[in-house]
């Protein structure tokens, strides 16, 4: 009896472990950074633009942080501008440079695997007349330089190429990219968000004109970024107002965040030195996953020099990523399907599509990104859960096929329909009748309102986001949870008759619980 109880305790402890393997989405704030920020918050409340003593001290802290950032990227402090985030930095460069050159020059050449802050801004610029062309990449995400040479011409004013991709971890040959751009007088913007702290960065050696950074990817705070602007590069302020950041970015500086960014950059050398250990764990992880599912496909470059040491993109044929991620989350393990900035869209990753994956293969792909605190036991635990799931030893959330969702279920008093679709999808399509709408990324704020004596049927546009939320509800003690496989899209196609007859009827919008 005691042995069985001991085994149960071991299982319970193992079951409740927390393993964070999504460091490309964000990283925890390091102790060093936190202490520096706390001191700034406590002692330095002066406005850096004020000329009296306490203001000058705050200004000194800003400049110290600027030097730390510049040293980490091999730049001059005068070339570093603090922004709110890398998204702002990318927007500022793309719009400013376009304004400077258009219509004398009209074309931007980019890769199709850029971050959404670049891709969506380029889509906007196209509506303003800018011509945007995308240079193809190979099956590992490496830019095809021969194609780039063909696309960049005298009408090209900017080339966009990220240093390292957030989903596959592929590292680009930026020096080769800038050499091609220079032949036609084009400038180069590189998104370095995932590169800083993982690979050495030397912006002067790369000869790029602009580069974007974000502190929360290297154990710094959220809400602070930086823009590198090579001396002499054209730039029009994105925000107008005060004289801050040499007149290039108005607004009172977020002093504690800037201090935190600088402190994080002080530890870049330590992070780089830790890269070998992280790469060894990634190698171990890859080997274990290949044994579990021999037909898995590694999307990250397997040549180590061409891939970030911490990033692994892997496809498990026949295994939906939403179900796998939901189960991993249920067991305390955090991984992702792609960019955190795309969470909730329930659509295949544009990066995975660009490297040649089909929609179905993209939905069978997860991204694992290790951190400096990842241990071998974390890898062992994670891979054991993956093995249990793939081999069918664990399955907790019921699945309902679109064809099975009939009138009996739709109008059954014992069924509670939960709509977790994003707002845009709700505008496009009417939802299931008798549904209760909640904000998908804030489900925890509605838990008290959800019935525990009914079957909760969860649905989203394509069935991916909802299965993760279904597992979350199971983890919170809801025993009867069912996910609509294929989501509303699948049901509209299979039961168009019921959709036309009932969709949108008796829908309730829930208000989030008040948090005391």
């Amino acid at each position: 009896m005691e042995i069985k109880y001991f085994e149960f305790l071991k299982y319970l402890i193992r079951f409740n472990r927390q393993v964070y393997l999504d460091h490309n989405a964000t990283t925890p704030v390091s102790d060093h950074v936190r202490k520096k920020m706390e001191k700034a918050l406590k002692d330095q409340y002066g406005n850096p633009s004020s000329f009296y003593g306490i203001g000058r001290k705050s200004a000194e802290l800003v400049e110290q942080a600027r030097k730390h950032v510049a040293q980490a990227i091999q730049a001059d402090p005068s070339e570093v501008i603090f922004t709110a985030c890398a998204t702002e930095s990318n927007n500022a460069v793309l719009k400013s440079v376009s304004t400077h050159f258009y219509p004398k020059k009209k074309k931007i050449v980019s890769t199709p695997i850029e971050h959404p802050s670049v891709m969506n801004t380029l889509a906007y610029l196209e509506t303003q007349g800018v011509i945007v062309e995308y240079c193809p990449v190979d099956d590992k995400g490496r830019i095809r330089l021969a194609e780039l040479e063909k696309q960049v011409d005298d009408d090209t004013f900017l080339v966009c190429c990220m240093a390292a991709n957030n989903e596959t971890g592929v590292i680009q040959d930026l020096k080769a990219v800038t050499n091609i751009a220079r032949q036609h007088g084009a400038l180069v913007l590189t998104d370095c968000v995932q590169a800083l702290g993982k690979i050495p960065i030397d912006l002067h050696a790369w000869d790029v004109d602009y580069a974007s950074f974000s502190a929360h990817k290297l154990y710094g705070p959220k809400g602070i970024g930086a823009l590198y602007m090579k001396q002499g590069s054209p730039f029009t302020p994105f925000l107008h107002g005060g004289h801050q950041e040499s007149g290039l970015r108005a607004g009172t500086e977020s002093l504690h965040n800037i201090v935190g960014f600088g402190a994080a950059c002080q530890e870049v050398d330590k992070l780089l030195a830790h890269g070998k250990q992280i790469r060894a764990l990634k190698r171990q992880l890859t080997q274990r996953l290949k044994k579990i599912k021999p037909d898995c496909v590694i999307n990250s470059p397997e040549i180590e020099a061409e891939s970030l040491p911490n990033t692994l993109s892997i496809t498990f044929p026949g295994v939906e990523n939403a179900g796998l991620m939901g189960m991993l989350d249920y067991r305390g393990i955090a991984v992702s399907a792609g960019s955190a900035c795309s969470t909730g869209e329930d659509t295949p990753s544009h990066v995975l599509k660009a490297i040649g994956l089909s929609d179905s293969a993209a939905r069978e792909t997860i991204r694992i990104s290790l951190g400096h605190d990842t241990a071998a036991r974390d890898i062992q635990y994670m891979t054991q859960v993956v093995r249990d799931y793939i081999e069918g030893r664990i399955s907790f959330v019921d699945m309902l096929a679109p064809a099975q969702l009939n009138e009996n279920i739709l109008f059954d008093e014992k069924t509670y329909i939960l709509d977790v679709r994003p707002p845009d999808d709700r505008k496009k399509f009417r939802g299931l009748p008798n549904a209760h709408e909640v904000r998908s990324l804030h489900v925890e704020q509605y838990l008290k309102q959800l019935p525990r004596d009914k079957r909760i049927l969860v649905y989203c546009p394509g069935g991916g986001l909802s299965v993760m939320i279904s597992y979350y509800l199971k983890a919170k003690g809801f025993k009867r949870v069912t996910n609509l496989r294929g989501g509303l899209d699948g049901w509209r196609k299979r039961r168009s008759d019921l959709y036309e007859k009932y969709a949108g009827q008796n829908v309730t919008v829930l208000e989030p619980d008040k948090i005391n």
Side-chain angles (χ1 to χ4, degrees), residues 69-105:
V69 174
Q71 289 170 355
I73 62 178
Q74 301 300 308
D76 188 272
S78 65
E79 298 172 310
V80 175
I81 302 170
F82 286 114
T83 63
C85 55
T87 291
E88 180 192 328
S89 300
N90 289 330
N91 270 262
V93 171
L94 289 168
K95 294 175 181 177
S96 174
V97 176
S98 296
T99 300
H100 179 83
F101 284 101
Y102 186 86
K104 187 176 180 180
K105 287 189 173 185

Side-chain angles (χ1 to χ4, degrees), residues 115-152:
H115 187 269
S117 63
V118 171
M119 299 292 286
N120 291 336
T121 307
L122 291 176
Y124 162 76
L125 291 174
E126 284 186 291
T127 68
Q128 306 302 302
V130 175
I131 298 170
V132 179
E133 294 183 1
Y134 293 95
C135 180
V137 295
D138 65 15
D139 61 350
K140 298 300 182 183
R142 294 167 292 216
I143 188 169
R144 295 185 183 275
L145 294 172
E147 294 298 321
L148 184 65
E149 286 190 278
K150 295 177 183 178
Q151 288 182 285
V152 177

Side-chain angles (χ1 to χ4, degrees), residues 102-116:
Y102 186 86
K104 187 176 180 180
K105 287 189 173 185
K106 299 181 180 180
K107 189 165 75 173
I108 296 176
V109 178
S110 179
T111 81
I113 62 171
E114 298 296 308
H115 187 269

Side-chain angles (χ1 to χ4, degrees), residues 7-8 23 30 42 58 65 74 95 99 178 192 214 227 231 247 258 281 287 368 372-373 390 401 411 423 465 516:
E7 290 177 349
F8 171 73
H23 289 81
S30 74
K42 179 181 178 182
S58 294
Q74 301 300 308
K95 294 175 181 177
T99 300
T178 55
C192 290
S214 189
L227 168 62
Q231 291 182 1
I258 290 174
L281 286 175
Q287 292 169 352
I368 306 165
H372 71 77
D373 57 346
I390 289 179
F411 297 98
L465 177 63
N516 295 327

Side-chain angles (χ1 to χ4, degrees), residues 371-385:
H372 71 77
D373 57 346
T374 303
R377 62 182 180 274
D378 297 326
I379 300 302
Q380 294 167 2
Y381 174 58
M382 182 267 186
T383 51
Q384 183 58 53
V385 174

Side-chain angles (χ1 to χ4, degrees), residues 291-307:
K291 287 182 180 179
I292 293 171
K293 192 162 177 54
D295 63 343
C296 69
V297 179
I298 306 299
N299 303 307
S300 302
E302 296 191 63
I303 299 174
E304 293 186 348
E306 298 179 350
S307 180

